[in-house]
């Protein structure tokens, strides 16, 4: 593989992952298309590993009626001759509350960092961290009902 091929594949993985979050197609095993089985997720809602990380992400998103995630500026560094890479990107994340109060939106600007592993099925995230830079609106206060 070339650096350009790795960059394109990892950028596509980021885009497909964000789309999966927003379309909420959380069928059993959905995350295997994006994450390794031992993947770690560090986010404002907590740090989890493996299947628990997937459940935490699903639960967090279902606290909202809808979401829309935008990624830009994906920068990758795949070490030549290995199956490991890192990536980072900017994110604009819009969340629509189920029962809007004064402001129906909770908006987050941030940066994601990830480590990736090349698998027989392609690149997969082995660790992801969300760094919140700013927010606007009220975060959710209760589990989805």
């Amino acid at each position: 593989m070339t650096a350009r091929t790795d960059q394109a594949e990892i950028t596509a993985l980021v885009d497909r992952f964000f789309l999966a979050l927003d379309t909420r197609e959380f069928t059993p095993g959905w995350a295997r298309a994006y994450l390794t089985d031992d993947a770690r997720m560090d986010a404002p809602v907590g740090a989890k590993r493996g299947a628990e990380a997937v459940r935490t992400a699903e639960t967090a998103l279902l606290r909202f009626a809808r979401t829309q995630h935008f990624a830009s500026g994906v920068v990758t560094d795949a070490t030549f001759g290995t199956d490991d890479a890192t990536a980072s990107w900017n994110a604009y994340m819009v969340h629509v509350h189920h029962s809007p109060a004064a402001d129906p939106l909770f908006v987050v600007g941030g940066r994601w960092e990830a480590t990736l592993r090349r698998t027989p099925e392609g690149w997969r995230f082995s660790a992801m961290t969300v760094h919140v830079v700013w927010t606007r609106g009220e975060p959710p206060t209760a589990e989805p009902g």
Side-chain angles (χ1 to χ4, degrees):
M1 293 286 180
T2 67
R4 283 188 186 184
T5 300
D6 290 335
Q7 168 79 28
E9 290 177 2
I10 292 169
T11 299
L13 182 66
V14 169
D15 290 340
R16 287 192 320 270
F17 179 70
F18 272 13
L19 181 61
L21 296 178
D22 293 336
T23 58
R24 299 168 182 228
E25 296 176 11
F26 300 142
T27 58
W30 74 271
R32 284 199 166 92
Y34 310 99
L35 306 168
T36 60
D37 288 338
D38 63 344
R40 178 176 175 84
M41 171 101 41
D42 293 309
V45 295
K48 304 290 183 189
R49 183 176 292 279
E52 188 60 31
V54 173
R55 278 191 293 280
T56 299
E58 291 172 5
T59 300
L61 289 174
L62 293 174
R63 295 171 106 181
F64 298 98
R66 293 177 302 287
T67 60
Q68 191 168 27
H69 292 72
F70 300 91
S72 68
V74 178
V75 176
T76 64
D77 183 17
T79 306
F80 182 76
T82 72
D83 292 330
D84 299 308
T86 60
S88 63
W89 60 94
N90 292 309
Y92 183 75
M93 300 163 277
V94 181
H95 309 79
V96 180
H97 287 287
H98 284 282
S99 300
D103 188 348
L105 302 179
F106 175 57
V107 185
V108 180
R111 184 173 47 82
W112 289 59
E113 292 181 342
T115 58
L116 299 98
R117 187 178 314 137
R118 190 189 323 262
T119 72
E121 295 79 27
W123 287 105
R124 299 292 185 265
F125 297 111
S126 56
M128 301 177 84
T129 302
V130 182
H131 301 279
V132 173
V133 176
W134 60 269
T135 64
R136 190 193 94 208
E138 290 297 319
T141 55
E143 293 297 321

